[in-house]
Amino acid sequence: MQWDSTTNAGFSNSIPWLPVNENYLEGVNVEAQTAANVSHLSVFKQLTTLRKSETVFANGLTDLFSTVPVFAFARYDPQVTYITAVNVKGEEARVDLTKFVNLVENSETMGEVVIRSSGVTNDATNVGNSVDLDNILLAGYEGIVIKLGRYTSGGGVVQSSLVFIGIHCVILDIKLAQLRSSEKYRKK
């Protein structure tokens, strides 16, 4: 674990048996990510909180979808759907995720972005923005979490259906950063 920007990333005052990745000096450590407004660590905390608060992750069913650049899956039950979609390529990709809309009856195709991976500059997927599931533009290695609302005809009672896109993209983004750093390290 890279804790901070001190010697050996705060892991040890001794020489570690494995080399420490030099990216700990560039903010890839717990101390820097805790202080940052947007970071991989803050996204993981948001996702962990969500996972613990929603029973669908423990009890829901699963559905899969993929294209060359995007892998997606849904966890759903009669009340809620969560979709994880990952743009695994470095280039932006458009994807239609309406396949998952009918997992919960009367779902709509518009949703609100509620979580997004860090380091993304895609204005279309800022947290709080509405997106149409039939035409989502994901930046390279981007992951977003979308809340999809569902309304019943019974007196306007709102039943929420959450759609999550890109929870695992955050994991992929970190693994890719680690891979790039390790390739850089191997070149030395």
Side-chain angles (χ1 to χ4, degrees), residues 74-139:
R75 291 299 304 257
Y76 63 98
D77 63 22
Q79 307 304 315
V80 64
T81 300
Y82 290 88
I83 299 173
T84 300
V86 180
N87 180 355
V88 298
K89 300 286 187 174
E91 310 81 41
E92 62 183 33
R94 289 201 180 273
V95 64
D96 178 347
L97 296 174
T98 54
K99 169 193 191 304
F100 296 122
V101 169
N102 292 324
L103 296 176
V104 176
E105 278 187 45
N106 302 320
S107 291
E108 296 183 9
T109 62
M110 291 298 292
E112 178 188 352
V113 177
V114 294
I115 299 176
R116 179 175 73 177
S117 54
S118 65
V120 177
T121 58
N122 181 358
D123 289 337
T125 59
N126 286 332
V127 172
N129 283 6
S130 292
V131 293
D132 192 339
L133 293 180
D134 70 357
N135 189 26
I136 295 176
L137 177 65
L138 294 174

Side-chain angles (χ1 to χ4, degrees), residues 149-168:
R150 179 167 71 99
Y151 303 92
T152 66
S153 58
V157 176
V158 176
Q159 295 180 344
S160 62
S161 171
L162 300 177
V163 178
F164 279 72
I165 303 175
I167 294 173
H168 288 256

